[in-house]
Amino acid sequence: MPINEGNAGDLDAPAPTRRPPEAALVAWDAEAVRTSAEIVMQATAADLARRTPCAGWLLRDLLAHMTAQHRGFTAAAEGQTSLTPWQVRFEDEPVEAYRSAAAYLREVFARPGILERRFFLPEIAADRTFPAAQAIGFHFLDYVVHSWDVAKTVGATVQFAPDLLDAALTIAKAVPGGSARLAPGAAFAPALPWRGGSQLDTILALLGRSPTWPQ
């Protein structure tokens, strides 16, 4: 996704004490994806031209990205190494395309043995694969944040259970900072200084989004 505007800063959130359990990641990811789909389904044709918290992207751009990511991660879970599923396409019915891609991803991720697989994630590294739990963790964090992105765009609200947000916060704290966040095409902007608020607010600020967007 494009870099979001923001300045580096320190957050006073407590340090995580443990990594999220691998088996729970699959369920949490499914919940984040389900929530994102419910919010996307609220979008109207007029909403597609609205700007989003992803700097430079309208909602139609964000949905195309989100749909491509689902297709890419699904292909990776099925053992594919093709770049084709990762390519962004602008669909005639972007909301339905997103719903369909999200539903199929949840089906594939729920298959027995998913955590024993390795995922090819060319947008991160084209010369190696990643353990399933790590790959699903990447996807999970992204869709906690993207659920918020779409909700803010269409004027909806998003809520997640505390244990899910605890896991997302642990992963967010592990995302590398530094100059890599300023590079073109970086997944996240530098962290924003933020105190107080909800768990979700802290996650957003760690990943360079202002919880009070668009103010």
Side-chain angles (χ1 to χ4, degrees):
M1 70 180 63
I3 293 176
N4 297 293
E5 297 176 358
N7 299 313
D10 294 326
L11 298 171
D12 59 354
T17 57
R18 61 183 178 85
R19 295 177 61 84
E22 292 185 357
L25 274 174
V26 177
W28 284 325
D29 182 78
E31 178 63 14
V33 173
R34 183 193 65 79
T35 298
S36 73
E38 288 182 350
I39 297 170
V40 168
M41 294 297 289
Q42 298 179 42
T44 66
D47 289 330
L48 296 175
R50 293 183 182 276
R51 66 187 186 96
T52 73
C54 295
W57 281 1
L58 302 178
L59 183 58
R60 64 168 61 93
D61 304 311
L62 177 57
L63 292 184
H65 162 80
M66 292 166 65
T67 301
Q69 290 290 299
H70 284 333
R71 289 170 175 161
F73 272 86
T74 299
E78 294 180 320
Q80 298 182 39
T81 57
S82 170
L83 298 178
T84 301
W86 298 89
Q87 295 174 356
V88 173
R89 306 197 302 265
F90 289 90
E91 308 282 353
D92 292 336
E93 299 290 341
V95 170
E96 175 55 27
Y98 182 78
R99 185 207 61 77
S100 177
Y104 188 55
L105 177 130
R106 291 179 66 201
E107 176 190 328
V108 172
F109 276 20
R111 292 174 183 171
I114 187 69
L115 289 170
E116 300 169 8
R117 303 178 188 181
R118 296 188 66 88
F119 286 45
F120 175 64
L121 305 177
E123 294 185 342
I124 299 176
D127 60 348
R128 62 189 178 97
T129 58
F130 294 82
Q134 185 178 22
I136 293 171
F138 295 154
H139 187 266
F140 162 60
L141 180 61
D142 225 17
Y143 283 86
V144 169
V145 175
H146 282 329
S147 293
W148 179 86
D149 288 333
V150 180
K152 293 294 285 188
T153 302
V154 303
T157 58
V158 60
Q159 291 185 328
F160 291 110
D163 61 341
L164 183 152
L165 290 174
D166 283 341
L169 180 57
T170 298
I171 297 171
K173 288 180 176 180
V175 175
S179 59
R181 295 232 193 153
L182 295 171
F188 302 111
L192 294 171
W194 187 261
R195 296 181 185 277
S198 67
Q199 285 177 298
L200 182 55
D201 289 345
T202 301
I203 293 165
L204 295 168
L206 276 169
L207 301 178
R209 283 166 166 76
S210 170
T212 61
W213 184 92
Q215 288 78 20

